[in-house]
């Protein structure tokens, strides 16, 4: 069933482009309007939503964090992201106008299920973003937006992440459409950009393998890694750190780049590997410059820096020791491409160390206990 691939993880990373494309499929009409009739929540109910709370665990929670940046920008309503296991123990504020979005690949994660039950008991609506048809979480939700990544076998989630992020974008655009917070043209523009993402992911898969493998070989004996990013690069940094931790058993910490000077920079010593997600040099240039100065700061303390950056970014080329390139795309959509080299990097590290990348120790594919 691995279709000739050495591992499910390898196969599934190579299915990232299809996971995005298939999740978009059939979710818009020929005019370019978003059509989510299948979720079965009346547009009026969507119109009344004044807050979103995403509940999820692990990788799904990082997809939720990406959703926060996009949905707040497009829909102008607050989006909170809460680890599902923390949610119901803190007396969250839930009203009938709160939309709780439960993100889960398996649809069986007990922590997430308990959080959504709590939300429904308090009178909020729950929409599941789920990859598994008919699983418990979508069955117990008021509505469901399926990701179409296909079955994910490897314990480390890869193609499900890009599909979850895609589904969250669709939800955001749909809300913007029914609430009128974006012009139709703007929605069509984002949708066109989204449709171009599978080819951009494919470009990363086709062109960056060699430098990623080289970096993995070079870093094989590193004891720890820091991952940092800003804005939507922050959840990508967290996800890259989680991947490496899960399958290569390396201590990693992912954090927001702005936190460096508030503590983590104390960890940086000669040779410490630091992976930095660099935002596009176009657009929000202050963001780009701040992240680049983060690279300079850690380099000045001897760090070995790996950047994920937009093709041709002269600063990334100049300051980072190794660059994993990705094609240009709008900042809000960049997690779909930025995460790909980090998935490959974690897999290469684990393979080089001789670990079973599909079945890492101590972990199960779906966590059905609280
Ligand atoms: O099936 P779920 O999406 O609910 O699973 C949530 C997490 O357990 C999961 O994403 C976990 O963090 C993965 N092993 C990450 O690779």
């Amino acid at each position: 069933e691995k279709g000739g691939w050495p591992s499910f993880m390898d196969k599934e990373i190579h299915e990232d482009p299809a996971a995005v494309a298939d999740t978009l499929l059939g979710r818009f009409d020929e005019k370019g309007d978003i059509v989510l009739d299948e979720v079965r929540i009346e547009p009026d109910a969507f119109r009344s939503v004044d807050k979103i709370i995403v509940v999820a665990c692990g990788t799904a929670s990082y997809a939720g964090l990406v959703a926060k940046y996009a949905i707040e920008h497009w829909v102008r309503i607050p989006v909170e992201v809460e680890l599902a296991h923390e949610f119901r123990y803190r007396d969250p504020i839930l009203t009938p106008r709160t939309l709780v979005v439960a993100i889960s690949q398996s649809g069986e994660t007990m922590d997430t299920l308990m959080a959504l039950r709590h939300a429904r008991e308090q009178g909020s609506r729950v929409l599941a973003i789920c990859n598994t048809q008919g699983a418990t979480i979508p069955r117990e939700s008021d509505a469901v937006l399926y990701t179409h990544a296909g079955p994910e076998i490897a314990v480390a989630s890869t193609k499900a992440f890009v599909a979850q992020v895609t589904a969250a974008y669709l939800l955001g655009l749909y809300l913007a459409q029914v609430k009128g917070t974006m012009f139709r043209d703007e929605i069509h523009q984002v949708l066109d950009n989204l449709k171009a993402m599978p080819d951009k992911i494919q470009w990363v898969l086709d062109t960056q393998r060699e430098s990623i493998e080289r970096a993995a070989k070079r870093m094989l004996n590193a004891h720890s890694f820091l991952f940092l990013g800003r804005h939507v690069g922050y959840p990508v940094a967290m996800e890259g750190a989680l991947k490496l931790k899960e399958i290569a058993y390396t201590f990693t910490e992912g954090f927001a780049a702005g936190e460096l000077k508030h503590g983590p920079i104390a960890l940086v010593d000669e040779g410490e590997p630091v992976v930095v997600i660099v935002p596009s040099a176009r657009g929000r240039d202050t963001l780009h410059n701040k992240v680049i100065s983060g690279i300079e700061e850690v380099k000045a303390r001897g760090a070995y820096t790996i950047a994920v950056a937009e093709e041709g970014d002269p600063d990334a080329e100049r300051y980072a020791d190794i660059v994993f390139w990705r094609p240009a795309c709008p900042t809000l959509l960049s997690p779909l491409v930025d995460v790909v080299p980090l998935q490959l990097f974690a897999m290469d590290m684990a393979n080089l160390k001789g670990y079973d990348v599909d079945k890492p120790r101590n972990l199960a594919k779906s966590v059905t206990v609280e």
Side-chain angles (χ1 to χ4, degrees):
E1 324 121 59
K2 288 182 201 157
W5 293 97
S7 63
F8 281 108
M9 187 176 183
D10 210 339
K11 172 173 182 272
E12 288 163 6
I13 294 173
H14 286 82
E15 288 168 351
D16 281 348
V20 173
D22 292 347
T23 299
L24 289 173
L25 211 66
R27 263 79 191 250
F28 49 86
D29 62 19
E30 65 287 353
K31 285 176 286 169
D33 292 341
I34 311 287
V35 184
L36 294 185
D37 296 344
E38 56 173 294
V39 302
R40 297 188 322 266
I41 291 186
E42 289 302 308
D44 268 347
F46 269 122
R47 244 183 299 273
S48 72
V49 169
D50 65 1
K51 184 172 79 171
I52 289 179
I53 305 181
V54 177
V55 292
C57 303
T59 290
S61 76
Y62 303 139
L65 214 46
V66 175
K68 175 184 168 77
Y69 287 85
I71 297 178
E72 288 192 342
H73 183 69
W74 293 334
V75 193
R76 310 308 298 154
I77 56 172
V79 180
E80 293 171 18
V81 184
E82 179 105 23
L83 290 169
H85 33 89
E86 285 295 314
F87 181 67
R88 69 196 172 108
Y89 298 104
R90 65 163 184 95
D91 198 11
I93 300 164
L94 292 158
T95 76
R97 300 179 67 163
T98 309
L99 179 67
V100 171
V101 177
I103 307 182
S104 175
Q105 188 287 130
S106 62
E108 300 295 345
T109 300
M110 187 56 77
D111 290 319
T112 309
L113 180 62
M114 296 310 274
L116 83 83
R117 283 186 183 157
H118 180 75
R120 292 192 74 198
E121 276 162 19
Q122 304 296 307
S124 294
R125 274 202 187 73
V126 176
L127 180 144
I129 291 180
C130 182
N131 197 45
T132 313
Q133 209 82 24
T136 313
I137 288 171
R139 269 193 285 124
E140 292 206 16
S141 298
D142 298 283
V144 50
L145 180 56
Y146 280 108
T147 46
H148 294 150
E152 193 180 62
I153 310 294
V155 165
S157 187
T158 54
K159 62 176 180 171
F161 174 77
V162 291
Q164 285 160 350
V165 169
T166 304
Y169 290 146
L170 283 170
L171 175 64
L173 292 174
Y174 184 69
L175 280 163
Q177 185 174 286
V178 296
K179 282 174 163 285
T181 52
M182 280 166 91
F183 292 116
R184 271 179 89 193
D185 285 0
E186 288 177 300
I187 295 175
H188 297 173
Q189 180 67 57
V190 178
L191 192 61
D192 283 345
N193 289 331
L194 253 178
K195 287 188 223 162
M197 294 310 285
D199 284 346
K200 293 178 195 268
I201 299 174
Q202 191 61 51
W203 183 90
V204 174
L205 295 171
D206 291 343
T207 65
Q208 301 301 295
R209 283 311 318 254
E210 230 173 274
S211 53
I212 293 169
E213 214 178 318
R214 212 173 335 114
K217 281 189 183 133
R218 168 86 173 64
M219 301 277 83
L220 206 55
N221 296 318
H223 294 295
S224 66
F225 276 81
L226 303 181
F227 284 73
L228 48 105
R230 238 181 139 107
H231 191 256
V232 284
Y234 164 44
V236 174
M238 304 287 282
E239 172 60 5
L242 177 64
K243 285 294 87 95
L244 197 56
K245 183 181 297 174
E246 278 190 298
I247 60 169
Y249 314 146
T250 309
F251 188 87
T252 62
E253 184 164 325
F255 55 92
E259 277 294 287
L260 252 186
K261 56 187 174 303
H262 299 288
I265 201 160
L267 289 168
V268 179
D269 199 358
E270 198 58 42
E272 174 69 22
V274 181
V275 182
V276 186
I277 319 303
V278 182
S280 163
R282 302 162 298 113
R284 301 163 179 253
D285 46 343
T286 52
L287 208 63
H288 172 267
N289 295 347
K290 285 195 168 138
V291 173
I292 292 290
S293 70
I295 298 184
E296 288 180 85
E297 273 163 36
V298 294
K299 259 194 97 67
R301 289 159 180 86
Y304 186 81
T305 52
I306 301 175
V308 178
E310 187 168 287
E311 228 188 326
D313 180 337
D315 297 316
E317 180 90 75
R318 182 152 150 232
Y319 294 110
D321 293 296
I322 298 186
V323 186
F324 301 155
W325 297 110
R326 55 103 170 144
C329 69
T331 300
L332 281 173
L333 307 187
S334 59
L336 291 178
V337 272
D338 283 339
V339 75
V340 179
L342 303 184
Q343 295 173 342
L344 290 167
F345 182 66
M347 182 180 73
D348 285 347
M349 288 282 283
N351 275 328
L352 287 165
K353 289 181 173 192
Y355 299 144
D356 181 344
V357 297
D358 289 337
K359 289 200 185 66
R361 67 185 183 204
N362 308 341
L363 290 170
K365 181 62 183 165
S366 58
V367 184
T368 51
V369 290
E370 261 193 290

